[in-house]
Amino acid sequence: MTVCERIQNLEEQTLSPYAMLSRNSAGRETQEMECDLRTPYQRDRDRIIHCKAFRRLKHKTQVFLSPEGDHYRTRLTHTLEVAQIARTIARALQLNEDLTEAISLGHDLGHTPFGHAGERALDQIFPGGFRHYEQSVRVVERLEKNGKGLNLTKEVRDGILCHTTGTEALTMEGRIVRTADRIAYLNHDIDDAERAGVLTEGEIPERITSVLGHRKSKRIDTLVRSVIEGSQNGTVGMRPEVQAAFDLLRDFMFQSVYENPYAKGEERKVPHLIGALFDYLQKPENLPEDMRLIAEQDGCARAACDYIAGMTDHYAVELFKSIYVPASWKI
């Protein structure tokens, strides 16, 4: 018996009837030889961790654009926090942790520079619109490994696609990641907003903190426990009073942080920067070599969109400067 077979036997013996067993995966678009050490979902997790798009997440905005300080979240640290919360819930519910982790680590691979401001800017100018969760799937299916993609399993790709609004994931693991994503970003965004001086803990309404808690760690603990207690028979949920407070917290964060003119002031510059780069990259000769095949196959607009969506904040700014800002004369 191989190591992989032993792991899969343990899955069958220990996981919930609602868990997705790796042995029952719908498989990959392109068939491959199975690994004797790792299950398909473990291989997917490893492929995501080692891909270029994952590494770039460390220099992409979560909420605050180019913050001065070492402790603000980036898209990478957000991703790791989602994975930690999702795995805790999955373990308690006896779901497949490897599948849960793979979806968590891949869910934001297609996110733009400058956070949701960059996403909105691309959505306005790219024909057909732009949604980061669809782009994340495009990254793993089409863009990574010089156009070959990562060839992930269907369940991981589905979980990535369905991690936000709209259709729910096919697996309970995917539905757990959607909830973990919201738990993570609402709570760590409070932490970053406090650090930035945008709000204080005391400003969070008592009708929220009396249910969820007065500290980040307590709120996360309350929410995670509520998901574990409220999820049953293949559905993911919370206790009604906790869900109500969680919804109020989301509304509070939109009013206080996500739509705060002071916190988001620099975002007004993003549409112009993204639009200018998009216009410039419409010409194939302005695209890097590895994006020209995309332009030939899918069109210049698609290639420009893919290229911009993959940029880090710093790279996008420096490319804009190199194109549109005159350099000083050097002798």
Side-chain angles (χ1 to χ4, degrees):
M1 183 183 296
T2 66
V3 173
C4 178
E5 289 171 337
R6 188 165 71 245
I7 294 171
Q8 291 178 323
N9 286 344
L10 282 172
E11 288 180 356
E12 292 184 343
Q13 294 166 17
T14 60
L15 295 187
S16 160
Y18 301 104
M20 185 66 212
L21 303 180
S22 60
R23 184 169 280 156
N24 296 337
S25 171
R28 309 177 188 279
E29 287 291 307
T30 302
Q31 288 190 345
E32 301 177 4
M33 287 283 293
E34 293 296 338
C35 177
D36 61 353
L37 291 177
R38 297 168 298 162
T39 70
Y41 301 143
Q42 289 176 322
R43 296 178 76 190
D44 285 357
R45 175 202 58 204
D46 295 349
R47 290 178 185 190
I48 290 168
I49 288 175
H50 290 285
C51 78
K52 292 186 290 186
F54 185 78
R55 295 195 292 275
R56 290 196 299 269
L57 295 177
K58 67 181 177 180
H59 294 304
K60 291 194 177 193
T61 287
Q62 174 60 24
V63 172
F64 295 95
L65 269 61
S66 303
E68 295 292 333
D70 294 334
H71 300 129
Y72 289 92
R73 267 72 172 188
T74 66
R75 192 61 57 178
L76 178 60
T77 54
H78 161 71
T79 294
L80 296 176
E81 291 184 31
V82 173
Q84 176 266 315
I85 292 170
R87 285 191 60 187
T88 297
I89 296 171
R91 184 182 299 118
L93 294 176
Q94 295 177 275
L95 300 176
N96 193 314
E97 282 189 61
D98 296 322
L99 172 57
T100 305
E101 185 177 28
I103 296 170
S104 299
L105 295 176
H107 82 280
D108 269 354
L109 290 179
H111 223 298
T112 58
F114 314 115
H116 288 288
E119 181 175 20
R120 288 191 296 270
L122 270 182
D123 185 48
Q124 291 173 1
I125 60 179
F126 178 64
F130 179 91
R131 289 157 289 275
H132 78 274
Y133 47 90
E134 294 175 349
Q135 187 68 15
S136 295
V137 175
R138 182 169 171 80
V139 167
V140 301
E141 288 185 345
R142 182 77 172 82
L143 300 179
E144 274 293 327
K145 294 186 70 174
N146 299 317
K148 297 177 183 177
L150 301 181
N151 198 30
L152 304 182
T153 57
K154 179 180 179 179
E155 294 77 25
V156 172
R157 288 181 284 122
D158 171 76
I160 290 172
L161 180 64
C162 300
H163 81 266
T164 182
T165 58
T167 306
E168 285 196 332
L170 295 172
T171 64
M172 195 168 177
E173 288 82 359
R175 297 192 288 276
I176 288 295
V177 172
R178 177 187 284 201
T179 299
D181 184 32
R182 293 173 181 170
I183 292 173
Y185 78 70
L186 284 175
N187 284 284
H188 64 50
D189 290 351
I190 291 172
D191 195 35
D192 282 355
E194 287 187 89
R195 184 171 290 108
V198 174
L199 63 79
T200 65
E201 181 75 40
E203 293 177 77
I204 304 174
E206 177 66 20
R207 65 184 183 276
I208 296 173
T209 56
S210 63
V211 177
L212 301 183
H214 291 82
R215 302 187 318 278
K216 180 191 70 172
S217 59
K218 177 59 179 174
R219 285 190 293 271
I220 292 175
D221 182 73
T222 298
L223 290 162
V224 167
R225 287 177 182 274
S226 184
V227 173
I228 293 167
E229 294 166 4
S231 299
Q232 52 188 322
N233 300 325
T235 62
V236 178
M238 296 182 187
R239 298 196 310 274
E241 70 278 9
V242 174
Q243 183 67 63
F246 192 42
D247 292 340
L248 287 173
L249 178 62
R250 183 179 183 276
D251 293 342
F252 170 78
M253 287 298 290
F254 267 91
Q255 295 168 8
S256 303
V257 178
Y258 304 140
E259 297 172 355
N260 183 303
Y262 170 71
K264 314 302 277 185
E266 289 299 299
E267 288 188 0
R268 70 182 187 277
K269 302 174 184 177
V270 171
H272 174 67
L273 185 150
I274 295 290
L277 290 179
F278 189 78
D279 290 342
Y280 176 79
L281 295 168
Q282 292 292 303
K283 297 180 180 179
E285 62 269 23
N286 293 335
L287 288 164
E289 191 65 36
D290 61 338
M291 297 305 298
R292 291 179 187 174
L293 180 60
I294 300 291
E296 291 175 11
Q297 296 176 343
D298 302 336
C300 286
R302 178 75 261 183
C305 180
D306 288 340
Y307 187 36
I308 292 169
M311 293 177 183
T312 63
D313 295 21
H314 178 76
Y315 183 82
V317 170
E318 291 304 309
L319 181 60
F320 177 87
K321 287 180 181 178
S322 70
I323 297 168
Y324 294 108
V325 179
S328 58
W329 177 259
K330 295 180 182 179
I331 299 176

